């Protein structure tokens, strides 16, 4: 079922969903200054629901944006067995979007380097990232757009906490370590369930993500199952977690690189503000004798 043959309440529901995704994507772009005047945005298209949705929404926003920017779709064909090479070119030709298909056999490299039975996702993603970063420079792209959404970001934070002992996630905007590329995630405020509905209604030609034969990272599956259960009990849980990620107080954590705990000093200059309900307290002092007053301050001795 596509948007063109929806009728009545179905069409109303689809339009409402599309407006929601447009609004959230636009807000993320504005909040993080993801796209600027004259940007050439390389939209990384994998053939999955997230990247299709990202491209569709960015194309829609491009038409009404107050600034001019280019969109160039890019797919990396990693030469996985059974990869349907015709699907993306046919789809992108139909859209009229400029695009590039990068052909690089990272599949053989991964199979050669990773022992049988071990997950290939780590090496595969590094090879993919390096290829896309280099190609972005080659075509003069100023931003690299990836299709990660809010659920991905929250899942990654827990993955890093539970299995990497660090508090980090996927930032909506990132400068690469060498400073040569800027990655943006326009769907950072969008929920996966909305993207799934949108993708199903537009009938995107989805390409399976398991053609390499590797199972989805088991650790991520565990995190996703945990969050799904939390959401079942409290439907706003992921929203709350993501909001917390935007309200970090370094002084309330324990990272000495982010906050200077060692050099904290007392500052009792000026008048002390009254504590709440301080006039209602009584004090019992045992085994304490007052020795003297020094400049109006009582010096006390704690007796054993």
């Amino acid at each position: 079922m596509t948007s063109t043959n929806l009728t009545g309440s179905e069409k109303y529901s689809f339009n409402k969903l599309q407006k929601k995704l447009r609004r959230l994507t636009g807000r993320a772009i504005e909040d993080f200054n993801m796209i600027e005047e004259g940007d050439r945005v390389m939209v990384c298209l994998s053939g999955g629901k997230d990247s299709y949705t990202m491209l569709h929404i960015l194309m829609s926003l491009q038409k009404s944006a107050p600034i001019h920017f280019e969109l160039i779709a890019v797919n990396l064909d990693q030469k996985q067995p059974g990869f349907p090479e015709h699907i993306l070119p046919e789809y992108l030709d139909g859209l009229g979007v400029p695009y590039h298909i990068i052909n690089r056999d990272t599949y053989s490299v991964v199979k050669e380097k990773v022992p049988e039975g071990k997950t290939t996702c780590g090496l595969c993603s590094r090879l993919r990232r390096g290829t896309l970063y280099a190609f972005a420079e080659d075509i003069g792209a100023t931003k690299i757009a990836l299709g990660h959404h809010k659920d991905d970001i929250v899942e990654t934070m827990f993955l890093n906490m539970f299995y990497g002992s660090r508090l980090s996630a996927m930032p909506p905007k990132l400068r690469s370590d060498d400073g040569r590329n800027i990655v943006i995630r326009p769907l950072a405020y969008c929920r996966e369930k909305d993207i799934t509905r949108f993708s199903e209604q537009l009938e995107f030609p989805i390409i399976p993500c398991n053609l390499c034969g590797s199972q989805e990272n088991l650790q991520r599956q565990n995190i996703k199952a945990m969050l799904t259960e939390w959401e079942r009990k409290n439907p706003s849980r992921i929203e709350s977690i993501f909001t917390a990620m935007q309200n970090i107080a370094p002084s309330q954590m324990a990272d000495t690189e982010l906050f200077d705990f060692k050099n904290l000093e007392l500052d009792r200059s000026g008048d002390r503000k009254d504590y709440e309900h301080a006039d209602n307290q009584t004090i019992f002092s045992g085994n304490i004798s007052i020795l003297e007053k020094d400049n109006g301050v009582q010096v006390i001795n704690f007796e054993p």
Side-chain angles (χ1 to χ4, degrees), residues 22 24-36 57-58 61 67 69 184-187 189:
R22 273 178 51 97
L24 292 174
T25 302
R27 185 186 303 166
I29 290 173
E30 181 179 2
D31 286 353
F32 295 93
N33 194 27
M34 292 184 184
I35 300 177
E36 302 168 82
I57 296 299
L58 287 178
L61 290 173
I67 60 173
F69 61 92
I184 60 174
R185 297 182 168 96
L187 300 183
Y189 288 172

Side-chain angles (χ1 to χ4, degrees), residues 18-87:
Q18 182 171 235
K19 288 179 181 178
K20 179 181 180 181
L21 292 173
R22 273 178 51 97
R23 183 180 72 253
L24 292 174
T25 302
R27 185 186 303 166
I29 290 173
E30 181 179 2
D31 286 353
F32 295 93
N33 194 27
M34 292 184 184
I35 300 177
E36 302 168 82
E37 175 67 38
D39 266 340
R40 172 173 285 189
V41 182
M42 186 174 96
V43 183
C44 297
L45 201 63
S46 65
K49 68 182 188 321
D50 304 330
S51 60
Y52 276 127
T53 298
M54 175 177 64
L55 176 60
H56 187 98
I57 296 299
L58 287 178
M59 290 176 62
S60 176
L61 290 173
Q62 186 185 38
K63 296 175 183 177
S64 58
I67 60 173
H68 170 76
F69 61 92
E70 296 180 59
L71 296 176
I72 302 175
V74 172
N75 169 256
L76 172 58
D77 182 350
Q78 298 176 269
K79 300 305 175 184
Q80 298 169 339
F83 183 80
E85 298 179 355
H86 65 286
I87 288 182

Side-chain angles (χ1 to χ4, degrees), residues 29 51 62 71 136 175 187 197 212 222 256 259 274 288 299:
I29 290 173
S51 60
Q62 186 185 38
L71 296 176
R175 190 175 74 163
L187 300 183
R197 286 174 51 211
C212 59
N222 292 338
T256 57
F259 189 82
D274 289 335
I288 298 175
V299 180

Side-chain angles (χ1 to χ4, degrees), residues 199-233:
S199 175
E200 289 173 349
Q201 291 194 341
L202 286 183
E203 296 182 346
F204 292 135
I206 303 298
I207 298 174
C209 60
N210 60 348
L211 293 173
C212 59
S214 176
Q215 295 299 312
E216 183 184 357
N217 188 295
L218 182 59
Q219 294 172 345
R220 184 172 287 275
Q221 286 187 44
N222 292 338
I223 295 298
K224 186 181 285 286
M226 177 190 76
L227 291 172
T228 298
E229 179 62 15
W230 286 2
E231 280 276 288
R232 187 184 66 80
K233 295 179 179 178

Side-chain angles (χ1 to χ4, degrees), residues 230-245:
W230 286 2
E231 280 276 288
R232 187 184 66 80
K233 295 179 179 178
N234 185 343
S236 63
R237 185 62 58 87
I238 286 180
E239 298 290 347
S240 298
I241 294 170
F242 188 86
T243 300
M245 295 170 66

Side-chain angles (χ1 to χ4, degrees), residues 158-175:
F158 281 103
L159 271 171
N160 290 333
M161 285 176 60
F162 292 174
Y163 302 106
S165 299
R166 68 183 188 277
L167 193 56
S168 64
M170 292 174 173
K173 187 178 182 180
L174 170 74
R175 190 175 74 163

Side-chain angles (χ1 to χ4, degrees), residues 60-202:
S60 176
L61 290 173
Q62 186 185 38
K63 296 175 183 177
S64 58
I67 60 173
H68 170 76
F69 61 92
E70 296 180 59
L71 296 176
I72 302 175
V74 172
N75 169 256
L76 172 58
D77 182 350
Q78 298 176 269
K79 300 305 175 184
Q80 298 169 339
F83 183 80
E85 298 179 355
H86 65 286
I87 288 182
L88 284 172
E90 289 179 0
Y91 178 77
L92 294 170
D93 282 334
L95 284 182
V97 179
Y99 69 91
H100 298 281
I101 305 294
I102 308 171
N103 294 284
R104 185 183 179 193
D105 189 1
T106 60
Y107 174 82
S108 296
V109 176
V110 169
K111 285 300 182 182
E112 178 185 344
K113 300 292 184 183
V114 179
E116 188 70 28
K118 298 291 185 179
T119 181
T120 61
C121 300
L123 177 58
C124 182
S125 63
R126 290 195 298 273
L127 292 172
R128 183 170 60 249
R129 181 167 57 246
T131 302
L132 293 173
Y133 278 11
F135 190 70
E137 281 198 73
D138 292 342
I139 64 173
T142 53
K143 302 287 171 60
I144 301 173
L146 303 180
H148 300 116
H149 45 69
K150 183 178 287 186
D151 298 66
D152 288 325
I153 293 172
V154 171
E155 288 169 14
T156 301
M157 185 186 72
F158 281 103
L159 271 171
N160 290 333
M161 285 176 60
F162 292 174
Y163 302 106
S165 299
R166 68 183 188 277
L167 193 56
S168 64
M170 292 174 173
K173 187 178 182 180
L174 170 74
R175 190 175 74 163
S176 61
D177 292 340
D178 61 7
R180 303 181 71 89
N181 286 287
I182 292 180
V183 174
I184 60 174
R185 297 182 168 96
L187 300 183
Y189 288 172
C190 300
R191 292 298 307 274
E192 183 174 22
K193 58 187 178 183
D194 292 329
I195 293 171
T196 299
R197 286 174 51 211
F198 188 75
S199 175
E200 289 173 349
Q201 291 194 341
L202 286 183

